[in-house]
């Protein structure tokens, strides 16, 4: 039985956060629900609904994952996909900002789906001996950029956690393609080859000319994390040239076309585990080291730098880059960066387990700047749910 279009009653529930006193809205409660990666933004333009992932069961016994729409006023949830009728496996979901198109990996290949009509289009077959990463759709919905990496044989030293085999994979990957596929289904092109583990591919938010990607791996092992690819000239250049002690990651495009990144300094691998430690590097550079954040332009010039005398795991900027939302170990925090000295405040607790990528909070701002969305399995380990904090515009 096709379940597309089936609706479910609201599970929304409001509560007062015990630490900050702010009101938090729990959006989902049944099964498992998590939002898209923070660089993709689950909010639909206009912020009346979100597109998210849902599966029955828990992360140890994961059921079929499907895509849902949740109306933020009524709480009504609508199932948009029934992947089991089309694919054996699906993953790596993203969408266009207006939520017209869903982009995903189905049985190893790249597909798009029109969420209004349900029409599915094959965009690109994965190259033999490789696996496709996370896709990114261009601002005009004409192209999808994605990396295809070789499949290494890895002996994982950190089993059962979200960074299992992270260091081993960094050394094992030796070949990757950067691919740009056409949304009309006429195929695509390999536009660049690399000899590293390539990931975090992101189209610029306002032009098809620029794509950022990263050399993936523990941050303090990667010599140059962020790269800028020009789709017209096919030239690649480092986006902020790293020094020996730089440990950089969690880059994303801001609304006005800058590249944000987090520099944690010597000894930081950019991970967090359920033990609240790093997965690869146990010793960092000590309490006296001050991490910093940066903004780079499309020419890879550092246009702003700010010391942040504390660590968070992920950041996301509001539309005018005056505030960051971030996930600390136990809390979602708000960081005011409008002035030269940052100011931090606790938004609410999240208490997530950090054990799987789907329970990484990845807080993100809505398009209109008045809502913050995040995921957590703080109420029951292995069952992430979605939460929202409404902010003043």
């Amino acid at each position: 039985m096709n379940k597309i279009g089936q609706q479910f009653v609201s599970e929304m529930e409001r509560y007062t956060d015990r630490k900050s006193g702010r009101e938090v809205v729990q959006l989902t409660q049944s099964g498992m629900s998590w939002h898209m990666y923070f660089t993709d933004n689950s909010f639909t333009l206009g912020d009346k609904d979100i597109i998210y992932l849902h599966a029955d069961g828990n992360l140890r016994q994961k059921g079929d994952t499907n895509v849902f729409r949740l109306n933020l006023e009524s709480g009504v949830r609508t199932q948009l996909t029934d992947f089991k009728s089309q694919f054996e496996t699906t993953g790596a979901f993203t969408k266009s900002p207006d939520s017209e198109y869903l982009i995903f990996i189905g049985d190893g290949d790249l597909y798009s789906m029109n969420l209004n009509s349900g029409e599915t289009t094959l965009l690109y077959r994965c190259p033999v001996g490789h696996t496709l990463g996370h896709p990114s759709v261009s601002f005009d919905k004409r192209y999808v950029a994605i990396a295809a990496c070789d499949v290494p044989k890895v002996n994982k030293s950190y089993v059962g956690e979200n960074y299992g085999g992270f260091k081993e994979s960094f050394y094992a990957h030796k070949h990757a393609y950067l691919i740009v596929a056409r949304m009309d289904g006429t195929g695509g092109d390999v536009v660049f080859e690399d000899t590293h583990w390539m990931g975090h591919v992101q189209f610029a938010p306002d032009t098809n000319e620029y794509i950022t990607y990263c050399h993936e791996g523990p941050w303090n092992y990667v010599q140059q994390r962020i790269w800028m690819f020009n789709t017209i000239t096919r030239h690649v250049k480092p986006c902020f040239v790293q020094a020996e002690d730089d440990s950089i990651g969690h880059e994303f495009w801001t609304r006005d076309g800058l590249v944000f990144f987090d520099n944690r300094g010597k000894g930081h691998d950019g991970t967090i585990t359920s033990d609240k430690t790093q997965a690869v590097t146990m010793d960092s550079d000590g309490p006296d080291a001050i991490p910093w954040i940066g903004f780079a332009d499309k020419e890879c010039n550092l246009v702003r730098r700010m010391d942040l005398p504390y660590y968070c795991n992920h950041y996301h900027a509001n539309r005018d880059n005056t505030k960051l939302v971030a996930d600390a170990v136990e809390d979602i925090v708000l960081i005011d960066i409008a002035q030269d000295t940052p100011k931090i405040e606790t938004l609410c607790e999240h208490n997530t387990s950090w054990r799987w990528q789907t329970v990484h909070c990845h807080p993100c701002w809505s398009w209109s700047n008045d809502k913050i969305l995040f995921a957590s399995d703080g109420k029951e380990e292995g069952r992430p749910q979605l939460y929202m904090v409404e902010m003043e515009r």
Side-chain angles (χ1 to χ4, degrees):
M1 177 181 175
N2 193 312
K3 298 181 180 180
I4 294 176
Q6 186 173 349
Q7 292 191 327
F8 301 85
V9 298
S10 173
E11 296 179 329
M12 287 172 58
E13 182 177 282
R14 296 176 181 270
Y15 66 92
T16 300
D17 181 74
R18 63 180 182 178
K19 186 173 290 187
S20 69
R22 285 183 180 266
E23 184 178 76
V24 181
V25 185
Q26 182 172 348
L27 298 175
T28 62
Q29 299 193 44
S30 59
M32 302 181 296
S33 296
W34 63 99
H35 57 326
M36 294 185 177
Y37 197 51
F38 75 104
T39 58
D40 303 329
N41 204 328
S42 278
F43 287 96
T44 300
L45 289 173
D47 296 336
K48 293 183 179 180
D49 53 37
I50 60 169
I51 306 296
Y52 69 100
L53 291 311
H54 175 82
D56 295 325
N58 58 53
L59 288 169
R60 293 183 182 88
Q61 299 173 324
K62 194 171 182 179
D64 296 320
T65 298
N66 277 294
V67 178
F68 281 67
R69 183 191 305 271
L70 188 150
N71 183 284
L72 294 173
E73 293 182 355
S74 67
V76 171
R77 296 160 293 136
T78 304
Q79 185 167 338
L80 301 181
T81 65
D82 188 4
F83 285 127
K84 192 173 182 180
S85 63
Q86 296 176 279
F87 303 97
E88 292 186 9
T89 62
T90 54
F93 302 95
T94 188
K95 70 176 186 66
S96 57
D98 60 5
S99 299
E100 180 181 10
Y101 289 101
L102 176 76
I103 315 298
F104 63 97
I105 307 301
D107 293 339
D109 298 320
L110 181 65
Y111 287 86
S112 72
M113 175 183 287
N114 187 307
L115 290 178
N116 298 322
S117 68
E119 181 181 2
T120 301
T121 303
L122 173 65
L123 301 184
Y124 200 85
R125 294 283 187 190
C126 182
V128 175
H130 293 68
T131 184
L132 294 176
H134 193 85
S136 175
V137 61
S138 64
F139 82 106
D140 57 4
K141 300 179 288 188
R142 294 175 59 197
Y143 304 99
V144 175
I146 195 167
C149 296
D150 56 348
V151 183
K153 295 180 180 180
V154 175
N155 293 319
K156 295 184 177 183
S157 63
Y158 203 80
V159 179
E161 300 284 347
N162 52 23
Y163 288 102
F166 195 40
K167 177 181 175 182
E168 294 84 351
S169 295
F170 165 72
Y171 283 109
H173 280 287
K174 299 301 179 186
H175 186 258
Y177 297 114
L178 179 62
I179 297 162
V180 175
R182 293 177 286 277
M183 279 282 286
D184 61 6
T186 59
D189 301 290
V190 172
V191 295
F192 185 71
E193 290 187 58
D194 209 334
T195 57
H196 291 71
W197 183 8
M198 183 188 292
H200 233 230
V201 175
Q202 299 173 61
F203 260 114
D206 51 0
T207 175
N208 293 337
E209 186 176 355
Y210 296 98
I211 297 171
T212 53
Y213 68 88
C214 81
H215 284 174
E216 187 59 274
W219 295 8
N220 56 324
Y221 283 70
V222 174
Q223 292 181 333
Q224 178 60 43
R225 165 80 180 197
I226 314 171
W227 297 85
M228 185 78 70
F229 178 79
N230 187 301
T231 61
I232 296 174
T233 65
R234 301 290 177 94
H235 289 168
V236 172
K237 62 189 299 186
C239 183
F240 181 75
V241 177
Q242 291 183 217
E244 180 180 359
D245 291 342
D246 290 331
S247 295
I248 287 175
H250 288 140
E251 65 281 353
F252 63 85
W253 287 95
T254 64
R255 303 280 178 86
D256 56 354
L258 297 175
V259 178
F260 171 97
F261 62 89
D262 172 16
N263 189 350
R264 300 190 184 179
K266 181 180 180 181
H268 285 265
D269 63 22
T271 70
I272 183 171
T273 71
S274 57
D275 295 327
K276 311 299 189 295
T277 61
Q278 299 189 120
V280 177
T281 305
M282 298 306 168
D283 295 320
S284 65
D285 51 356
D288 295 332
I290 298 178
W292 57 273
I293 58 169
F295 294 83
D297 62 20
K298 294 185 178 75
E299 298 303 316
C300 302
N301 300 307
L302 183 65
V303 297
R304 189 182 182 199
R305 169 182 168 153
M306 172 174 281
D307 290 345
L308 288 184
Y310 31 75
Y311 294 104
C312 291
N313 299 292
H314 310 92
Y315 299 93
H316 194 236
N318 64 355
R319 62 186 176 188
D320 55 4
N321 302 332
T322 58
K323 290 184 179 180
L324 302 174
V325 63
D327 47 10
V329 174
E330 305 291 353
D331 302 327
I332 302 293
V333 298
L334 200 64
I335 306 172
D336 190 326
I337 58 170
Q339 308 301 322
D340 291 337
T341 302
K343 299 178 181 178
I344 188 170
E345 65 173 293
T346 298
L347 200 59
C348 63
E349 293 182 300
H350 63 71
N351 298 316
T352 199
S353 71
W354 298 107
R355 287 200 64 183
W356 301 272
Q357 282 289 330
T358 47
V359 303
H360 281 203
C361 302
H362 287 144
C364 64
W365 292 89
S366 65
W367 299 101
S368 58
N369 249 28
D370 62 348
K371 300 176 181 68
I372 289 172
L373 178 70
F374 66 95
S376 170
D377 67 343
K379 290 191 174 181
E380 183 179 346
E381 185 176 289
R383 286 188 59 210
Q385 303 297 341
L386 289 169
Y387 298 83
M388 185 176 71
V389 180
E390 296 176 298
M391 309 293 293
E392 296 180 1
R393 288 179 185 256

